[in-house]
Amino acid sequence: MDLVFVTTPAHTVMGILQDCVACAIPNAVIISSGFSEAGGDGARMERELSEFAIRNGINVVGPNTMGICNLHCSLYGTGAHPRPPRGGISIVAQSGNVGNQIMLWAEIQKIGISKFVGSGNEAVLKVEDYLEYLNEDCDTSVVLLYLEGVDDGRKFFEVAKTIAMRKPVIALKAGRTEGGSRAAASHTGAMAGSFAIFASVLRQSGIVIAHNPTELLELAAAFDSFPLPGGNRVGILTLGGGWGVITADECEERGLAIPPLPDDIREKLDKKLPPFWSRANPVDLVGQPDINLYHEAIELMVASDAFDAVIVLGLIGSPRFGIRPIQAAHRLGFFPDDEMKSMEGNVDNVESGMLCSILDLMERYRKPIYPVTLAAFPNDEIIFSKPGNRYKAIVYKTPEEAVLCLAKQHQYATFMRRRWKREIA
Amino acid sequence: MDLVFVTTPAHTVMGILQDCVACAIPNAVIISSGFSEAGGDGARMERELSEFAIRNGINVVGPNTMGICNLHCSLYGTGAHPRPPRGGISIVAQSGNVGNQIMLWAEIQKIGISKFVGSGNEAVLKVEDYLEYLNEDCDTSVVLLYLEGVDDGRKFFEVAKTIAMRKPVIALKAGRTEGGSRAAASHTGAMAGSFAIFASVLRQSGIVIAHNPTELLELAAAFDSFPLPGGNRVGILTLGGGWGVITADECEERGLAIPPLPDDIREKLDKKLPPFWSRANPVDLVGQPDINLYHEAIELMVASDAFDAVIVLGLIGSPRFGIRPIQAAHRLGFFPDDEMKSMEGNVDNVESGMLCSILDLMERYRKPIYPVTLAAFPNDEIIFSKPGNRYKAIVYKTPEEAVLCLAKQHQYATFMRRRWKREIA
C-alpha cells in the first residue's frame, strides 16, 4: 500500500491529498502543522481536509503529528531519531514529543518497540482507530497509550474493552488536574474532562493506569516480559534485612500480601543458614555469599503453593559489589593477577547463571520472579532473555519499581480472570 | 582520638573493650555480630557490653554494625566498598546494608557524601546521638536518615526539632505496614510502632519524609544543591506541550500552584515565538531550536515576581537528541566531516552554557531552577556546579523527580519560616 508523508505548509496540503486521489494512494501522514491547533484559518483547513479524506477513503494520520514508525519493517517516519530495538510494545501518543521521548528511553534501556504513532490533531484517524488496528496486529503484544483527551468516549470505551481482553493496554491520562487540563487545552485543544470519570472508564475497560511516562514504559516492559501472577501473595528473598522491610512495606501499600513462610521451607533453610536468619517471609539470607544457596532458595520459594510471585533482592548485583574488597586486597598484593582475573570473570558467570535459572523457573512454574539488583551501574543490561523461553527477566534497580509492576500485573490478571469467568458463564 | 575497629567473635569483644580502657582508647566500632539480634546469650553479652562501655566512657558504634566512614578524612571503615565523592550529605542508617547501597548509588550518580554510620544494635550510641553530633558538624549540610524504630521517642523528637532548624534532615521510616513491621522486628528487633504517630512526630520536627531509599538520596541531593523556594508558585518552560501537561499535573497533585503567565512575559515572548505558542503557563516554546530564546525565556520566568521556582523541561538534552537527523544527513554526505564535528562540539557547549546560566540565575535571584533533560543517557553527569556559586544544578531525568524535590523543599521552607517567626515573636 502506498503511503505519502506530507511536511509542506498547511495551505499546500489539500492539493497534495487531491494528488493522492489522482494517483490512488490511500494513506497519508500529515506532519505539517498550522491546522486546528493554530486556530482561525487553520481550523477551517482541517475541517476541509478531514471531509475530503473521509469522502475519498484516505487514511490520514495527523495533521500536526510527529509521524509514525514500524520497526518490524524498518520504517522510521518521525522528525526525531530514537532507535529502540525491535520488540512487542506499540505506542499510541497524543503528544508526539512524549511518545518520541519514550522511544528514546526504550532505546537507552533496550526495551523492544513494535510500532509508534503520534496521533496529532486526529482529524481523520483517532486514538480509537489505532487501538482497533493494534488489537488485530500480531506484532503487538502490549499497547502503551499517552492520552490527553478523547472525543468519542463511548466508542473509546467499547474499543478499549475489546483490546484489553486480548492484550494489556497501559495508559497515562494527562490533564488530571486543573493546571494540567488548562495546559492540555492550550496544547492539543483536548477537552480533558473529569479525570475521575475517565479513570473509571479506563479501569472498567481493564486498562492499566500509569501515573507518569516513566511508569508507562516500565509497566509496558513488565507486561511484555513476565508471566501474570495467579494471586497477590508475595515471597521475598533478600540478602540484607533492611531491603526486606522496605519491600514488604511497598507490597502491602500496593495491595499485595506477605504471607508467613511455610514450615517446610523454614525447615529446609534452617539446615543451610546460620541460626540468626529471619526464619520468616521476607527470607533474609543474612549476606551468605553462597551461590548454590541462592539457586535453592529461589526455587523453594517459587515452587511453593504459598506464593504467587517472588521478589529477589540483591542476589543479582551483590557479587559484583562484593568483589571490591577482594580487588582492594589484590591491589595490596594479596592475590596474584591471574587469580583476580578469574574471580572477576566468575562474577559475570554467577550473575548470568542466576538470571538463566530465573528464566527457567518462570518457564517451569509460570510464576513471575522479579529480580532487583541493588547495585546497578549505568550501562548495565536490564532485560534478559534466552532463546526458547517465553518470558524475559527485567532486572530492577529499586524494589519499588518491581513492586509497582507486580501489583499492576496482579490487578490486570484479577480483572481478566473475573471477566473471562463472566464471559464463560 | 584513638579508635578501635572490632571484628572478632562476640565472646571476645568484652576483653577487647577492657584492653581499650587499659590503653585509654575511648572509641570503638564493633562490627562483630552475635549480640541481641541473635537472642539468648547474645542479648546478655550486649547488656554487659553496654553497661561496661557507659561506665567507662567508651563511645561504642554497634555492635552488629556495617561500620562508619568519614570522607573528609578518607576514613572508610565498612565491609562494603562504595566510594562516593566527598560532599555535604551525612548518612545515619539503622540498616547498614541499606545505608551502604545508598552510598553506592551516590557513587554512581556522583552525589557528595560527608559521613556514614550504620547504627547497628545501638547498644550505646543511638540514632539521637548521631543526630546531635551532626547538628554541630560543619562538614554536614544535609542529613539522610534510614529508620526502623526508635527507643526513646521523646529524646528523638527533641533532637530532631533542634537539628531540623539548622539543616534539612530527610528521613525514611521503614516498617510502615504490618508486613514491614514484622520484617523489621525480625531484622533489627526494632519495635516499629504506629507509623501514623511516628510520621506526625517527624512532621512536627520539620523532618522531610521520603517514601523509599531512592527518594531519600534524591531529596538529600536536592536540599544540598538548590536554594529553597519562597512559595509554591511554579513557572514551567517546555519545548513540547505534552511534558508541560504532565508536569502541571504532578505539581498540582503535590500542592504546588501553576499561576497564570504575567502579561509582560506574554508580550515579550509574543515577539519571539510563532503565533501558535501556548501564551500561558506552562510556556511551550513549541520546539524552537533557538538557544538565545532559551536563555531569555528562563531569565524572564525566574526574574518574575509571579513565580517562586522554575522548571525547565527538555531544553537541556534536546540539542543532543535533535542533532541526530543532522548526523544522519551527514552519513548520507550532506555535511562534510569538519562541519559535522564542529556542530557536535557546539552541542556540548550549548548545554554547559545553559547550565552555567541556570547557576548564575539561581545565584542572582536566589530562586531554584530545576532543569529536566528528557534525553538523559546512562553516564551523563547529573550534578553541575561552578566555583564561586553557592548552589548546584541537578539535571533530572523525569519531571516527577524535579516536582517531588521542589514540593518537599517548599514544604520544608514553609515549615521553617513559620517556626522562625514563632521563635522571634
Side-chain angles (χ1 to χ4, degrees):
Chain A
M1 291 271 259
D2 286 327
L3 166 63
V4 160
F5 281 85
V6 186
T7 60
T8 52
H11 67 270
T12 66
V13 173
M14 186 54 111
I16 294 170
L17 285 189
Q18 284 160 347
D19 292 347
C20 285
V21 175
C23 305
I25 298 172
N27 302 301
V29 176
I30 305 179
I31 310 258
S32 321
S33 60
F35 288 92
S36 63
E37 85 286 359
D41 233 26
R44 183 190 48 76
M45 285 193 288
E46 185 167 314
R47 266 196 313 280
E48 285 169 12
L49 176 159
S50 155
E51 280 160 22
F52 180 84
I54 291 166
R55 203 165 54 239
N56 291 281
I58 308 180
N59 299 312
V60 169
V61 178
N64 188 30
T65 167
M66 186 69 105
I68 61 171
C69 296
N70 181 345
L71 280 76
H72 290 272
C73 60
S74 299
L75 170 72
Y76 297 96
T78 58
H81 278 211
R83 291 293 178 269
R86 207 171 279 181
I89 300 169
S90 285
I91 300 175
V92 180
Q94 286 188 329
S95 158
N97 208 307
V98 172
N100 249 285
Q101 228 109 25
I102 290 175
M103 293 266 279
L104 183 64
W105 292 351
E107 173 192 322
I108 292 168
Q109 297 173 59
K110 302 190 186 70
I111 295 171
I113 302 297
S114 178
K115 296 183 169 64
F116 165 87
V117 58
S119 66
N121 292 0
E122 302 190 5
V124 178
L125 293 174
K126 298 180 194 305
V127 72
E128 305 91 84
D129 299 307
Y130 299 119
L131 288 181
E132 237 168 15
Y133 167 79
L134 293 173
N135 184 33
E136 304 293 336
D137 180 40
C138 297
D139 288 332
T140 298
S141 50
V142 176
V143 178
L144 185 162
L145 194 56
Y146 171 80
L147 286 174
E148 291 191 359
V150 163
D151 286 332
D152 186 345
R154 173 65 47 191
K155 179 160 184 210
F156 178 84
F157 184 42
E158 290 308 322
V159 174
K161 267 201 306 193
T162 310
I163 185 169
M165 284 292 274
R166 190 123 158 220
K167 44 190 97 176
V169 179
I170 326 293
L172 169 65
K173 170 68 177 69
R176 294 187 294 264
T177 62
E178 225 190 279
S181 304
R182 257 184 284 126
S186 86
H187 173 223
T188 50
M191 292 305 297
S194 149
F195 177 63
I197 293 174
F198 204 89
S200 96
V201 165
L202 292 178
R203 261 190 299 269
Q204 283 172 48
S205 318
I207 288 189
V208 178
I209 302 177
H211 198 80
N212 55 47
T214 318
E215 275 189 23
L216 200 49
L217 182 59
E218 219 165 80
L219 290 171
F223 276 91
D224 193 39
S225 302
F226 294 105
L228 293 171
N232 77 339
R233 301 164 309 153
V234 187
I236 300 175
L237 257 176
T238 179
L239 267 193
W243 292 104
V245 183
I246 287 162
T247 308
D249 276 343
E250 292 279 347
C251 282
E252 292 209 350
E253 285 172 349
R254 288 202 179 270
L256 301 168
I258 310 293
L261 194 67
D263 291 339
D264 61 317
I265 298 186
R266 185 181 298 114
E267 281 156 25
K268 279 181 192 138
L269 288 176
D270 259 341
K271 291 184 196 125
K272 317 232 168 220
L273 286 166
F276 52 89
W277 78 284
S278 66
R279 311 189 80 242
N281 181 27
V283 170
D284 182 357
L285 299 177
V286 286
Q288 299 299 298
D290 173 356
I291 301 301
N292 291 330
L293 170 67
Y294 296 178
H295 282 276
E296 273 177 76
I298 297 174
E299 179 151 15
L300 277 176
M301 301 289 275
V302 72
S304 167
D305 285 339
F307 304 119
D308 303 303
V310 177
I311 297 178
V312 176
L313 300 165
L315 273 53
I316 308 290
S318 78
R320 224 163 358 138
F321 188 30
I323 204 170
R324 285 190 178 185
I326 303 173
Q327 287 167 328
H330 164 247
R331 282 194 297 274
L332 294 171
F334 285 94
F335 295 104
D337 288 358
D338 53 340
E339 205 174 310
M340 191 64 237
K341 266 226 149 54
S342 110
M343 277 191 282
E344 282 167 341
N346 199 34
V347 162
D348 291 337
N349 293 342
V350 160
E351 295 224 340
S352 57
M354 212 132 59
L355 286 163
C356 279
S357 120
I358 283 175
L359 288 177
D360 290 338
L361 290 170
M362 290 206 287
E363 200 71 26
R364 182 145 22 115
Y365 295 99
R366 290 211 191 179
K367 277 186 198 176
I369 306 172
Y370 303 79
V372 181
T373 172
L374 295 161
F377 286 83
N379 282 310
D380 288 353
E381 291 267 348
I382 71 149
I383 302 190
F384 284 79
S385 58
K386 226 173 60 170
N389 280 53
R390 233 169 330 174
Y391 307 117
K392 295 182 281 254
I394 300 178
V395 180
Y396 291 98
K397 296 190 177 185
T398 66
E400 63 269 20
E401 290 166 287
V403 172
L404 169 75
C405 291
L406 166 54
K408 295 277 184 175
Q409 287 200 276
H410 163 63
Q411 268 171 34
Y412 174 80
T414 308
F415 185 89
M416 284 303 134
R417 270 193 300 272
R418 276 194 210 129
R419 253 189 53 192
W420 281 114
K421 262 191 215 154
R422 239 182 300 147
E423 304 272 321
I424 291 163
Chain B
M1 291 269 260
D2 287 326
L3 167 64
V4 161
F5 281 85
V6 186
T7 60
T8 53
H11 67 271
T12 66
V13 172
M14 186 55 113
I16 293 171
L17 284 188
Q18 284 160 346
D19 292 347
C20 285
V21 174
C23 305
I25 298 173
N27 302 300
V29 176
I30 305 179
I31 310 257
S32 321
S33 59
F35 288 92
S36 63
E37 85 286 0
D41 233 27
R44 182 190 48 76
M45 285 193 287
E46 186 167 315
R47 267 197 313 277
E48 285 168 13
L49 176 159
S50 155
E51 279 160 23
F52 181 84
I54 290 167
R55 202 165 56 240
N56 291 280
I58 308 179
N59 299 311
V60 168
V61 178
N64 188 30
T65 168
M66 186 71 106
I68 60 171
C69 296
N70 181 346
L71 281 77
H72 290 272
C73 60
S74 298
L75 170 72
Y76 297 95
T78 58
H81 279 212
R83 290 292 178 268
R86 206 170 279 181
I89 300 170
S90 285
I91 299 174
V92 180
Q94 285 188 331
S95 158
N97 209 305
V98 172
N100 250 287
Q101 228 110 23
I102 290 175
M103 293 266 279
L104 183 64
W105 293 351
E107 173 192 322
I108 292 168
Q109 298 172 59
K110 303 190 185 70
I111 295 171
I113 301 296
S114 177
K115 296 183 169 63
F116 166 88
V117 59
S119 66
N121 292 0
E122 303 191 3
V124 178
L125 293 175
K126 297 178 194 305
V127 72
E128 305 90 84
D129 299 306
Y130 300 119
L131 287 181
E132 237 169 14
Y133 168 77
L134 293 173
N135 183 34
E136 304 292 336
D137 180 39
C138 297
D139 288 332
T140 297
S141 50
V142 176
V143 177
L144 184 162
L145 194 56
Y146 172 80
L147 287 173
E148 291 191 359
V150 164
D151 287 332
D152 186 347
R154 172 65 47 191
K155 180 162 184 208
F156 178 84
F157 184 41
E158 289 308 323
V159 174
K161 267 202 306 194
T162 309
I163 184 169
M165 284 292 273
R166 190 124 159 219
K167 44 190 96 176
V169 179
I170 326 293
L172 170 64
K173 171 68 178 68
R176 294 185 295 264
T177 62
E178 225 190 279
S181 303
R182 257 185 284 127
S186 85
H187 174 222
T188 50
M191 293 306 297
S194 150
F195 177 64
I197 293 172
F198 204 88
S200 96
V201 166
L202 292 178
R203 261 191 299 270
Q204 283 173 48
S205 319
I207 288 189
V208 178
I209 301 177
H211 199 79
N212 55 48
T214 317
E215 274 189 24
L216 201 49
L217 182 59
E218 219 165 80
L219 290 171
F223 275 91
D224 193 39
S225 301
F226 293 104
L228 292 171
N232 77 339
R233 300 164 309 155
V234 186
I236 300 174
L237 258 176
T238 179
L239 266 193
W243 293 103
V245 182
I246 287 162
T247 308
D249 276 342
E250 292 280 347
C251 283
E252 292 209 349
E253 285 172 349
R254 287 201 179 271
L256 301 168
I258 310 293
L261 194 66
D263 291 339
D264 61 318
I265 298 186
R266 186 182 297 115
E267 280 157 25
K268 280 180 192 140
L269 289 176
D270 259 341
K271 291 186 194 121
K272 318 231 167 220
L273 286 166
F276 53 88
W277 78 284
S278 67
R279 311 191 80 242
N281 180 28
V283 170
D284 181 357
L285 298 177
V286 286
Q288 298 299 298
D290 172 356
I291 301 302
N292 291 329
L293 171 67
Y294 297 178
H295 282 276
E296 274 177 75
I298 297 174
E299 179 151 15
L300 277 176
M301 302 288 276
V302 73
S304 166
D305 286 339
F307 304 119
D308 303 303
V310 177
I311 297 178
V312 176
L313 299 166
L315 273 53
I316 308 289
S318 76
R320 226 165 356 139
F321 188 30
I323 204 170
R324 285 189 178 187
I326 303 173
Q327 287 166 327
H330 164 247
R331 282 193 297 274
L332 294 171
F334 284 95
F335 295 104
D337 289 358
D338 52 339
E339 206 174 308
M340 192 63 237
K341 268 226 149 55
S342 111
M343 278 191 283
E344 282 167 343
N346 199 33
V347 161
D348 291 337
N349 293 342
V350 160
E351 295 224 342
S352 57
M354 211 132 58
L355 285 163
C356 279
S357 119
I358 284 175
L359 287 177
D360 290 338
L361 290 170
M362 288 205 288
E363 200 70 27
R364 184 148 18 119
Y365 295 99
R366 292 211 188 178
K367 278 186 198 177
I369 305 172
Y370 303 80
V372 181
T373 173
L374 295 162
F377 286 82
N379 281 310
D380 288 353
E381 292 266 351
I382 71 148
I383 302 190
F384 284 79
S385 58
K386 226 173 59 168
N389 280 52
R390 232 170 330 175
Y391 307 118
K392 295 181 280 249
I394 299 178
V395 180
Y396 291 98
K397 296 191 177 185
T398 67
E400 62 269 20
E401 290 167 287
V403 172
L404 169 75
C405 290
L406 166 54
K408 294 278 184 176
Q409 287 200 277
H410 163 63
Q411 269 170 34
Y412 174 78
T414 307
F415 184 89
M416 284 303 135
R417 270 192 301 270
R418 276 196 210 127
R419 253 191 51 193
W420 281 113
K421 262 191 212 155
R422 237 182 301 148
E423 303 273 322
I424 292 163

